[in-house]
Amino acid sequence: MSAIATSTATAWTDVQPGIEYEAANPLIGWRVSVILVNGIISPFVNGPTATAVCGVEPAERHHTGREVHPECRCGLYLIDTRQHLVDYWTDGGRRLLEGRAKIGRHRQAGLAICQVETTANITGYAYHPGMIPPDTEHCYRTNELRLRRVFIPTGNRSGLPDRIGRKYPEIPVAQMRGPMHTIASAKYAEADR
């Protein structure tokens, strides 16, 4: 295992593949997450903070620690802007989540657009065959994500905002008045702050 270069990032444009970063201030990003019928949003199963654990087979790992590693494909994935999230989703990223009726023993209730933040152990995208399409420019990985806001697109089961609100009482939850791609519209610009 080789030594990994580390640096400080002040914006997403600072983050490059192959280098591990700490953020000078929280970096805000976006992800599409599965909502389970009980209102839990994956991967935030124990509250509004999620921590990655490397699930890569030991023979394929490039590290031994819990932190995301630039040469591994582990970590929690996120995208830098609302528009890039929509671009990724409409270009084929939805295939990653569609058809997953169950996660473990829990049923899926719908999808959420999550605004998240991260500060530590950030690195660029690591291509692996399961990622469709590979978005090497706007996709990042981190060891820890904090949930900031949740947007529920139309077409999800009713009552989801209430169930999610009970699971994450400190997190704002909003029902969108449109499908997933409308998150890129100007009316959601305040979410970037």
Side-chain angles (χ1 to χ4, degrees):
M1 292 180 209
S2 59
I4 297 302
T6 60
S7 188
T8 301
T10 57
W12 287 117
T13 52
D14 295 339
V15 180
Q16 301 299 315
I19 300 174
E20 183 180 298
Y21 294 85
E22 302 289 323
N25 295 305
L27 295 178
I28 308 302
W30 297 86
R31 62 177 282 133
V32 176
S33 292
V34 171
I35 309 168
L36 304 178
V37 291
N38 60 3
I40 290 176
I41 300 170
S42 179
F44 305 97
V45 295
N46 294 317
T49 301
T51 303
V53 176
C54 186
V56 176
E57 294 295 324
E60 297 178 27
R61 283 188 193 164
H62 294 278
H63 62 105
T64 57
R66 289 178 48 93
E67 288 79 23
V68 65
H69 192 279
E71 295 173 3
C72 193
R73 66 179 190 257
C74 64
L76 299 166
Y77 284 74
L78 67 154
I79 298 225
D80 55 0
T81 68
R82 292 176 296 118
Q83 184 59 57
H84 293 149
L85 178 71
V86 170
D87 293 346
Y88 176 74
W89 184 258
T90 56
D91 286 345
R94 67 172 27 133
R95 286 179 275 172
L96 295 173
L97 295 174
E98 286 179 344
R100 292 176 64 182
K102 286 190 169 196
I103 295 181
R105 63 184 191 279
H106 303 285
R107 287 195 334 258
Q108 176 180 321
L111 298 174
I113 299 172
C114 299
Q115 183 189 51
V116 294
E117 69 181 27
T118 187
T119 57
N121 303 109
I122 305 159
T123 191
Y125 175 82
Y127 175 74
H128 60 92
M131 198 63 153
I132 303 169
D135 185 339
T136 57
E137 187 176 357
H138 306 293
C139 188
Y140 301 90
R141 298 176 298 128
T142 185
N143 188 56
E144 186 174 281
L145 286 177
R146 172 125 176 95
L147 192 59
R148 289 175 48 102
R149 294 183 191 191
V150 177
F151 297 90
I152 310 298
T154 57
N156 284 292
R157 292 183 181 189
S158 64
L160 276 180
D162 291 337
R163 278 185 266 165
I164 293 168
R166 285 192 296 274
K167 294 288 182 185
Y168 311 95
E170 67 278 14
I171 304 300
V173 179
Q175 179 72 53
M176 295 172 59
R177 295 184 188 269
M180 181 86 58
H181 71 274
T182 58
I183 194 68
S185 69
K187 73 179 184 177
Y188 292 104
E190 85 287 345
D192 292 331
R193 294 180 196 94

